[in-house]
Every structure is written in C-alpha cells, then in structure tokens.
Amino acid sequence: MRKQLEEIQKSALETIRSANLAADLESLRVKYLGKKGALTAVLKQMGKLSAEERPVIGQLANAVREELTEAIARQSKLLEQAAMEAKLAAEVVDVTIPGTPVTVGHRHPMSLVLEEAEDIFIGMGFQIVEGPEVELADYNFTRLNTPEGHPARDWQDTFYLTEDGSVLLRTQTSPVQVHVMEQQKPPIRIVSPGRVYRKDEVDATHSPMFHQIEGLVVDKGITMADLKGTLEVFVQRLYGAGTKIRFRPHHFPFTEPSCEVDVQCFECQGAGCRVCKGEGWIELLGAGMVHPKVLEGCGIDTDLYSGFAFGIGVERMTMRRFSISDLRLIFENDMRFLSQF
Ligand code: PHE
C-alpha cells in the first residue's frame, strides 16, 4: 500500500504541474482526492492492514493528501498569474507609436474679420440684425429713393427672380434700413452683415456675390460729424491706430449728402500700385446722411430725427486686414491659402 500511495503521489504531482487549464486542475482534484478518487480507493483497503501498519499508512496517506492539495492550489495560482500576464501583454498600449493627426479646421478669414467688425460695433453700442437675401424690389430700390428707370435697376445689373421684376436677390444690404425703421422707433443703432448679389464678372476686385455690413443710426441731432467719428473709430480699431482714411463726396439716392470712404492702400502705403490701380487708396464703404424721403417713407418725423447710414464691403475689408491682393482667393477655398490664417 505504501507503494501504491507513493505511485499516486508521483503521477499526481506530475500531471498537476503540467496542467494548463483551471478546468483540468479541477478534474485532477476529483480524480485523486475526490470521494471516488484514487487516494480514497487506497484508504478503503486500510482494514486489511495490521494494527502496527495502519497508523503509519494513515499518516502517509494524509501527508500525500496535503501535498496534492497544496500542489493543486499552487498550480492554480500559477495559472491565474499567467493568464493575467497574458492579458496585460495583449492589452499593452505603445505610447511611442506616432498618432494619427486630426486636422482641425478654423474660421475663414472673412468670418474672422466679420466677427472682429461685429465686436467693434457692439462695443460702440450697435445691435446686430439680419435681413433677407431674397428681397422685394420695393425695399431694395423704391423705398431707398431709387425709382423705376434708375440704372441700378437694369436687368444687366440685378438678378431678378420674377418676370415682373418685383422680387430679386438684394444688390445691397441697404433694404435692411427700411425693415429696421419699420419695426423700431428711434433711437436706432444697428449693423447688419450679409450677402449681396450683382451681375458682375469675376475679377481681382469683383464677384457676383459679395458681403456688406450695413450700418444705420437714427436719433435726435445726428450729424455728419457722428458718421465721420464712428467710421474713424471703427477703422482705427480694426486696422490699428495709425490707419489713414479719407472721405470723398459721392452720390447715393438714399443718402444726402453722400460720401465714399477710402483706406490707404495696404500694398504700397499710398504710393500707388497694381492693387490700388495707382491711386494709393482703396474704396472701403459708401455712406451718408439718410435721405429725408427714406426716413419719412418709414414714418420717421424728420423735424425731430436725422440719421446716418453706411455700407462696408466685407471682402475689401478682409483684403485690407490680411493684405490679400486678389478677391478670388477668398472664394476659391484653396487650403494652401486658407491654412495661413
Ligand atoms: N448700399 C450702398 C452700396 O452698395 C452703400 C451705402 C450704404 C451707401 C449706406 C450709403 C449708405 O454701394
């Protein structure tokens, strides 16, 4: 029996140590130590032994049981560790592998300048309002003192949407003036940015779609000095304190007197070059005192109130701000150009 026990011990230890799965270990435990196991089978024969042999074999059997129990526990622990190590190795993150670059977009230069401009006007107490791009000829022209027969109303200049010419793509943001004066009572102080459309051929300074910012101030005692002061502060805040602008007399049907405002050429600083067509100045906006006919048409008492208005070309403003010499670059969406801003 001693021999039997020693054989069980030897073969059991060997198989336990080579077990690779937790499930195998469990069946080994049953095979050797279970109720119907090998060890129990041996112990069942104890009755055949002599009184002297019995305690000796009993001790040996217990020692074998303990040894096998321990061996199973040890092997089970080893298997657990190995499984954990394998898991860690499989899940390892190599922080030295170069990442996949994520291309993050950014604002278009036009949007950047538009936001700057809006901030400056908000800082001066203006409200931002929006107007429709599809407009009635009545608002775009007639109510802006631009009657039938005016050259701006020619089908060669304007995109009409109806045969009778009553609906069009607005040619300027000025109709917003009328919308605002219909809805608000003075004091009015608004700017309105947006797209406008004209039948222009594309070149370095023209596009059939471009952007304007309309400005309108109506209150008691507003004069041309308020217009000049407002625009001077705006231009200096946008382009820097030293920026030179000039006011030229001009004509718009809906302002009287009217002017155009030029900013010194960014390319040649006034010397004259290709960008400013040799003039040294670049036209930036049209402006003037709101024509009494326009005010009265919106029910505003011209004995009490006066106002000024202006319309800034946003593309020109952007070109001046970033020294861009061709308008087409703004709309081509070439990443080599856009990524510079
Ligand atoms: N709407 C004019 C234009 O498009 C600009 C302007 C706006 C002029 C407001 C005077 C007052 O040229």
Side-chain angles (χ1 to χ4, degrees):
M1 269 185 83
R2 174 184 290 275
K3 196 142 187 241
Q4 267 180 314
L5 283 172
E6 278 168 2
E7 262 165 24
I8 290 172
Q9 183 189 30
K10 190 164 170 266
S11 81
L13 282 178
E14 253 172 44
T15 46
I16 289 169
R17 282 180 191 145
S18 59
N20 286 324
L21 295 171
D24 291 350
L25 271 184
E26 176 57 17
S27 47
L28 286 177
R29 193 189 62 77
V30 172
K31 180 176 170 192
Y32 292 110
L33 305 176
K35 270 185 193 154
K36 291 175 181 165
L39 205 60
T40 318
V42 174
L43 290 176
K44 274 183 184 155
Q45 299 165 32
M46 291 274 275
K48 293 179 193 163
L49 295 173
S50 67
E52 296 91 59
E53 273 175 324
R54 222 175 279 160
V56 182
I57 296 298
Q59 250 181 7
L60 180 64
N62 277 338
V64 171
R65 176 183 292 280
E66 255 170 54
E67 198 180 350
L68 294 189
T69 309
E70 250 172 55
I72 288 173
R74 216 179 307 125
Q75 186 66 12
S76 154
K77 212 170 195 153
L78 281 178
L79 286 182
E80 264 173 40
Q81 273 175 7
M84 178 59 88
E85 271 162 31
K87 201 172 173 214
L88 286 177
E91 288 177 2
V92 81
V93 174
D94 183 351
V95 292
T96 65
I97 291 174
T100 322
V102 179
T103 17
V104 178
H106 63 78
R107 283 194 174 69
H108 191 279
M110 285 275 292
S111 307
L112 290 172
V113 172
L114 196 62
E115 275 171 28
E116 267 181 48
E118 287 179 354
D119 279 350
I120 295 169
F121 282 118
I122 288 170
M124 289 196 275
F126 284 75
Q127 256 188 312
I128 312 247
V129 301
E130 278 184 37
E133 288 176 31
V134 173
E135 187 55 279
L136 297 175
D138 194 38
Y139 283 74
N140 193 81
F141 294 128
T142 317
R143 299 189 64 179
L144 288 170
N145 197 29
T146 311
E148 302 263 353
H150 190 283
R153 301 183 73 136
D154 198 291
W155 65 270
Q156 292 197 38
D157 295 325
T158 300
F159 293 104
Y160 288 98
L161 300 176
T162 53
E163 289 294 334
D164 66 357
S166 61
V167 183
L168 44 76
L169 293 178
R170 66 180 177 187
T171 63
Q172 51 189 355
T173 44
S174 298
V176 180
Q177 291 183 33
V178 181
H179 287 293
V180 169
M181 285 190 280
E182 274 183 346
Q183 283 157 18
Q184 294 183 28
K185 297 227 166 318
I188 291 168
R189 210 179 288 148
I190 61 98
V191 288
S192 182
R195 293 191 185 91
V196 301
Y197 304 85
R198 292 182 198 175
K199 283 196 177 175
D200 278 331
E201 293 292 332
V202 175
D203 67 21
T205 53
H206 290 88
S207 159
M209 186 282 294
F210 57 102
H211 297 72
Q212 291 186 332
I213 302 177
E214 194 75 10
L216 175 70
V217 172
V218 182
D219 203 350
K220 289 176 183 158
I222 296 291
T223 70
M224 194 86 182
D226 297 306
L227 169 63
K228 287 190 79 173
T230 303
L231 292 178
E232 229 144 50
V233 168
F234 169 70
V235 168
Q236 307 245 326
R237 290 212 179 135
L238 189 69
Y239 297 129
T243 309
K244 292 207 178 79
I245 54 172
R246 72 174 183 190
F247 291 75
R248 277 183 291 108
H250 199 75
H251 172 263
F252 296 104
F254 42 92
T255 46
E256 180 58 35
S258 305
C259 61
E260 274 192 336
V261 178
D262 304 332
V263 61
Q264 203 166 54
C265 178
F266 55 84
E267 193 76 27
C268 63
Q269 314 304 331
C273 67
R274 192 183 60 86
V275 174
C276 59
K277 299 195 181 99
E279 290 203 10
W281 298 87
I282 293 171
E283 184 197 318
L284 191 64
L285 59 95
M289 300 305 292
V290 183
H291 198 291
K293 276 195 183 171
V294 177
L295 291 172
E296 278 157 17
C298 295
I300 290 173
D301 184 350
T302 48
D303 286 337
L304 273 178
Y305 295 105
S306 54
F308 68 76
F310 55 84
I312 309 172
V314 186
E315 280 75 8
R316 285 183 180 164
M317 195 166 70
T318 307
M319 289 167 77
R320 171 70 175 83
R321 174 75 174 70
F322 291 122
S323 299
I324 300 165
S325 55
D326 194 318
L327 175 72
R328 285 166 285 202
L329 289 166
I330 291 178
F331 299 122
E332 275 166 0
N333 286 335
D334 186 330
M335 288 301 286
R336 290 168 301 179
F337 169 73
L338 291 179
S339 58
Q340 297 173 58
F341 300 95

